[in-house]
């Protein structure tokens, strides 16, 4: 049974008496003036129950619709807001989840699940202090509740760790990884290691083929070679611009992939059906290589290896999950620490800071992870000038490149995620016209077919992690173009089997309800 099913089942048993008492307290009295209100409450309960059933079967959008109908009929139930918040969390609409968590607490300050939902949304957004205050409140209300105490303790550890990291940070010239880890050359390769080895310190095609087979067999790359790949990627990425221009020659194919999210065996399937990367088969992977899926280490070393092997024919963009907040919560930091060391997890943080933010193909297609901007008149030169060697800020061009989403209606609006913005077809059209682009490609969102064409064909989403988190049932997809025909061609594909390691296996324990 999945964690979401367990939670809903637990919720059902926990809340049976609560719902009865709420019904007795909150339900309208039976008199002629309140019969209609009583009917609304009864209908609202039916919608809520349908929503709970849909949540169990992971039909999150339909569940949200049911909870919304319940709230429309009877907005005085904190349970409806809290349940809808959980569905929004499952869809990674953290901003909407936060709004519902706030509404649940306002509607009934004694309903403790409202505080949990609000805390979950804050955690998902990296706002740990705000989450801590909610966990603290629940722990005080339930002093004998071990789960409440555990959540408070774990969140408190994160807040203290962040404060310590800020306290020891000093302004000093940043050293390259090679300078920081010169003793890497002294790492011993054990006699019983039979895995792939770099040749004279370099990635070769043989090494990459051996590495992928090694990973398929659930074996690890030796730490000496892992450190070497990271050091070489660090040197290379530092020299790259924030916006990389790509020239695809006439007649030659070029492939754009979206989120991978640690789904290594699906990544291997892409290479199986579309061919291994090569100088004649170039790729661009558009961010969110890691987190959630529990084979993120295998994914990132495979991608970094191909980048070193084919630096001018294999491209990587940064996603919102190439950041310390996301990595610490959604599993990558835990996975690297489990498979290697916490030191290596810190190294990844530095390397991710240098990943380019977007790519422009043949001066006509702009590819970024998230989307467009809250400001008009943003140019490609503005993007080129972004100082990207940092953690993603909470606003501005870099934030919006990594976090924004398209919307169907005109204009701009607040983000359902709580970070970035939503932008309409008019915004996309104006941006493309001003920058002489045909269209943009972005990722960042699960789509049923693995892709979606919006904004009159000028905004295309591609997502390459099928059956995302083993729960969503979506297909993955990738896009191919040729240099003299930039019309996108779409290939959708189903998920393939993987070893029995669940998504989020290495995530922070506080995120278990999002598994």
């Amino acid at each position: 049974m999945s964690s979401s099913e367990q939670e809903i089942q637990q919720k059902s048993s926990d809340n049976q008496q609560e719902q009865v008492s709420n019904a007795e307290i909150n339900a309208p009295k039976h008199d002629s003036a309140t019969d209609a209100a009583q009917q609304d409450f009864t209908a609202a309960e039916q919608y809520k129950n349908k929503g709970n059933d849909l949540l169990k079967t992971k039909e999150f959008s339909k569940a949200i619709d049911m909870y919304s109908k319940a709230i429309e009929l009877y907005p005085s139930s904190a349970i409806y807001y809290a349940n809808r918040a959980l569905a929004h969390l499952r869809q990674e609409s953290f901003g909407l989840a936060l709004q519902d968590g706030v509404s649940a607490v306002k509607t009934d300050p004694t309903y403790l699940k409202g505080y949990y939902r609000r805390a979950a949304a804050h955690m998902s957004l990296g706002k740990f202090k705000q989450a801590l205050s909610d966990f603290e409140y629940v722990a005080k209300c339930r002093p004998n509740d071990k789960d409440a105490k555990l959540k408070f303790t774990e969140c408190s550890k994160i807040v203290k760790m962040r404060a310590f990291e800020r306290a020891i940070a000093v302004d000093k010239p940043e050293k390259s990884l090679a300078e920081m880890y010169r003793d890497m050359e002294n790492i011993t390769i054990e006699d019983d290691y039979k895995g792939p080895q770099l040749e004279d310190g370099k990635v070769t095609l043989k090494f990459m083929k051996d590495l992928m087979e090694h990973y398929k067999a659930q074996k690890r790359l030796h730490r000496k070679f892992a450190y070497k790949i990271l050091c070489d990627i660090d040197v290379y990425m530092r020299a790259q611009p924030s916006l990389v221009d790509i020239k695809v020659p006439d007649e030659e194919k070029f492939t754009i992939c979206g989120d991978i999210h640690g789904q290594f065996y699906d990544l291997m399937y892409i290479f199986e059906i579309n061919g291994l990367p090569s100088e004649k088969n170039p790729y661009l992977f558009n961010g969110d290589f890691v987190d959630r899926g529990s084979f993120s280490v295998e994914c990132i070393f495979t991608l970094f290896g191909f980048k070193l092997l084919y630096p001018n024919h294999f491209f990587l963009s940064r996603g919102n999950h190439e950041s310390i907040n996301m990595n610490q919560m959604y599993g990558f930091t835990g996975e690297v620490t489990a498979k290697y060391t916490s030191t290596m997890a810190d190294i990844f943080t530095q390397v991710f800071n240098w990943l380019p933010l977007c790519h422009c193909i043949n001066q006509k297609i702009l590819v970024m992870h998230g989307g467009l901007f809250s400001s008009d008149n943003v140019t490609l030169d503005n993007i080129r000038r972004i100082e990207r060697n940092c953690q993603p800020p909470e606003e501005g061009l870099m934030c919006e490149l990594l976090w924004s989403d398209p919307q169907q209606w005109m204009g701009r609006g607040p983000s359902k995620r709580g970070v970035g913005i939503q932008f309409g077809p008019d915004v996309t059209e104006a941006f493309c016209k001003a920058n002489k682009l045909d269209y943009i490609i972005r990722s960042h969102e699960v789509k049923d077919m693995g892709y979606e064409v919006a904004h009159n064909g000028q905004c295309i989403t591609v997502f390459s992690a099928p059956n995302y988190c083993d729960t969503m049932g979506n297909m993955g997809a990738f896009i191919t173009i040729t240099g003299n025909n930039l019309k996108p061609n779409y290939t959708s594909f189903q998920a393939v089997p993987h070893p029995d390691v669940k998504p989020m296996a290495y995530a922070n324990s506080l995120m278990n309800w999002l598994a």
Side-chain angles (χ1 to χ4, degrees):
M1 181 180 293
S2 72
S3 59
S4 61
E5 289 170 334
Q6 290 172 344
E7 178 167 4
I8 293 300
Q9 211 172 68
Q10 182 66 41
K11 181 192 303 175
S12 297
S13 60
D14 285 350
N15 287 342
Q16 280 178 352
Q17 293 182 333
E18 177 181 25
Q19 291 170 5
V20 170
S21 61
N22 279 353
E24 293 172 350
I25 296 170
N26 295 327
K29 302 302 180 183
H30 288 281
D31 57 45
S32 58
T34 59
D35 282 348
Q38 175 63 41
Q39 291 174 2
D40 285 347
F41 175 77
T42 301
E45 282 290 291
Q46 292 173 348
Y47 281 127
K48 180 208 71 176
N49 292 335
K50 290 179 181 177
N52 288 353
D53 291 339
L54 290 164
L55 199 56
K56 291 178 185 178
T57 58
K58 303 178 179 66
E59 298 177 84
F60 303 125
S61 294
K62 292 179 180 178
I64 289 169
D65 288 341
M66 291 297 104
Y67 295 137
S68 297
K69 289 178 179 178
I71 290 168
E72 183 177 351
L73 287 171
Y74 195 75
S76 301
S77 172
I79 295 172
Y80 304 162
Y81 292 107
N83 288 13
R84 190 170 69 176
L86 180 60
H88 282 312
L89 285 167
R90 294 286 190 265
Q91 289 197 317
E92 302 184 14
S93 298
F94 304 132
L96 296 179
L98 180 58
Q99 292 176 19
D100 277 343
V102 170
S103 296
V105 171
K106 286 183 177 179
T107 302
D108 184 358
T110 66
Y111 183 59
L112 297 184
K113 278 194 173 67
Y115 296 90
Y116 273 144
R117 297 292 178 263
R118 189 168 69 178
H122 276 138
M123 291 289 292
S124 300
L125 293 167
K127 299 181 183 298
F128 304 110
K129 283 188 176 180
Q130 292 93 321
L132 181 62
S133 65
D134 282 334
F135 288 134
E136 182 178 22
Y137 178 78
V138 175
K140 286 181 178 179
C141 290
R142 291 180 174 174
N144 297 321
D145 188 326
K146 293 182 179 179
D147 182 64
K149 184 177 180 180
L150 175 64
K151 286 181 168 62
F152 169 69
T153 301
E154 288 299 312
C155 189
S156 181
K157 288 179 182 177
I158 294 173
V159 171
K160 290 177 180 178
M161 179 183 68
R162 292 299 175 85
F164 176 74
E165 289 171 349
R166 289 193 298 270
I168 64 174
V170 294
D171 293 327
K172 60 182 179 181
E174 185 180 352
K175 293 182 178 179
S176 69
L177 296 185
E179 291 172 322
M180 293 170 62
Y181 300 99
R182 291 199 183 280
D183 58 348
M184 176 190 66
E185 295 296 332
N186 298 322
I187 296 176
T188 301
I189 300 175
E190 295 78 7
D191 291 339
D192 60 353
Y193 176 73
K194 305 300 181 184
Q197 300 196 28
L198 297 173
E199 298 179 21
D200 295 324
K202 301 296 182 182
V203 172
T204 63
L205 181 57
K206 180 182 183 304
F207 172 84
M208 290 306 303
K209 289 181 177 180
D210 290 347
L211 178 65
M212 289 184 288
E213 292 303 314
H214 196 66
Y215 280 156
K216 288 176 187 177
Q218 300 184 71
K219 298 177 181 179
R220 294 179 194 169
L221 177 65
H222 195 279
R223 65 190 183 281
K224 179 169 185 172
F225 305 125
Y227 278 122
K228 176 61 172 165
I229 287 173
L230 286 172
C231 289
D232 288 351
I233 278 287
D234 179 63
V235 170
Y236 182 88
M237 290 301 182
R238 286 168 180 263
Q240 298 306 296
S242 292
L243 190 163
V244 175
D245 289 292
I246 300 173
K247 174 61 179 175
V248 180
D250 289 351
E251 307 297 337
E252 292 198 9
K253 183 180 81 168
F254 189 88
T255 302
I256 302 105
C257 297
D259 303 43
I260 297 297
H261 275 301
Q263 298 185 195
F264 174 74
Y265 294 86
D266 296 312
L267 173 62
M268 293 298 96
Y269 188 64
I270 292 174
F271 292 157
E272 180 182 331
I273 62 176
N274 193 55
L276 284 179
S278 69
E279 293 182 352
K280 291 295 183 181
N281 193 29
Y283 280 83
L284 164 58
F285 282 84
N286 196 29
D288 281 14
F289 320 121
V290 301
D291 279 339
R292 295 191 178 274
S294 295
F295 304 95
S296 293
V297 164
E298 291 79 1
C299 286
I300 196 63
F301 278 119
T302 300
L303 296 173
F304 279 176
F306 275 120
K307 180 60 182 175
L308 293 173
L309 182 59
Y310 303 118
N312 299 317
H313 298 86
F314 194 88
F315 302 91
L316 302 171
S317 275
R318 189 175 189 176
N320 62 299
H321 273 268
E322 278 70 56
S323 65
I324 190 169
N325 276 352
M326 296 292 107
N327 294 164
Q328 288 181 343
M329 297 309 302
Y330 291 96
F332 184 58
T333 296
E335 183 181 342
V336 176
T337 301
K339 294 178 178 179
Y340 290 99
T341 64
S342 60
T343 297
M344 185 178 286
D346 294 337
I347 292 174
F348 272 108
T349 298
Q350 179 169 320
V351 171
F352 287 163
N353 281 351
W354 285 105
L355 289 172
L357 301 177
C358 54
H359 295 74
C360 190
I361 302 172
N362 287 10
Q363 300 181 317
K364 290 298 181 183
I365 307 169
L366 188 67
V367 186
M368 78 289 285
H369 181 74
L372 296 181
F373 312 102
S374 56
S375 301
D376 292 324
N377 305 318
V378 174
T379 68
L380 300 188
D381 283 339
N382 294 142
I383 298 172
R384 289 187 177 96
R385 289 193 290 267
I386 294 175
E387 295 289 340
R388 70 184 187 280
N389 179 27
C390 62
Q391 289 302 296
E394 294 188 2
E395 59 183 10
L397 298 186
M398 180 174 173
C399 167
E400 291 159 359
L401 280 168
L402 300 179
W403 278 97
S404 291
D405 296 296
Q407 62 184 21
Q408 295 180 351
W409 49 94
M410 297 292 185
R412 296 179 174 91
S415 171
K416 63 187 177 184
R417 301 175 188 269
V419 188
I421 65 155
Q422 294 184 182
F423 59 96
D426 54 329
V427 175
T428 303
E429 181 181 8
F431 178 81
C432 288
K433 183 178 180 180
N435 289 284
K436 300 179 180 178
L437 300 169
D438 289 349
Y439 57 90
I440 66 170
I441 296 176
R442 40 91 60 183
S443 301
H444 196 39
E445 286 185 287
V446 179
K447 298 299 177 184
D448 288 344
M449 295 299 296
Y451 71 93
E452 182 180 76
V453 182
H455 296 183
N456 302 310
Q458 288 191 298
C459 180
I460 299 170
T461 298
V462 60
F463 191 87
S464 302
N467 194 25
Y468 180 46
C469 290
D470 287 356
T471 63
M472 298 301 289
N474 62 290
M475 299 184 78
F478 54 83
I479 296 171
T480 55
I481 59 170
T482 57
N484 59 344
N485 182 3
L486 299 181
K487 179 182 177 181
N489 300 289
Y490 307 99
T491 301
S492 296
F493 59 94
Q494 297 279 5
V496 298
H498 64 74
D500 189 21
V501 183
K502 301 300 183 184
M504 301 280 281
Y506 300 95
N508 187 286
S509 60
L510 284 171
M511 304 309 287
N512 284 341
W513 64 82
L514 294 180

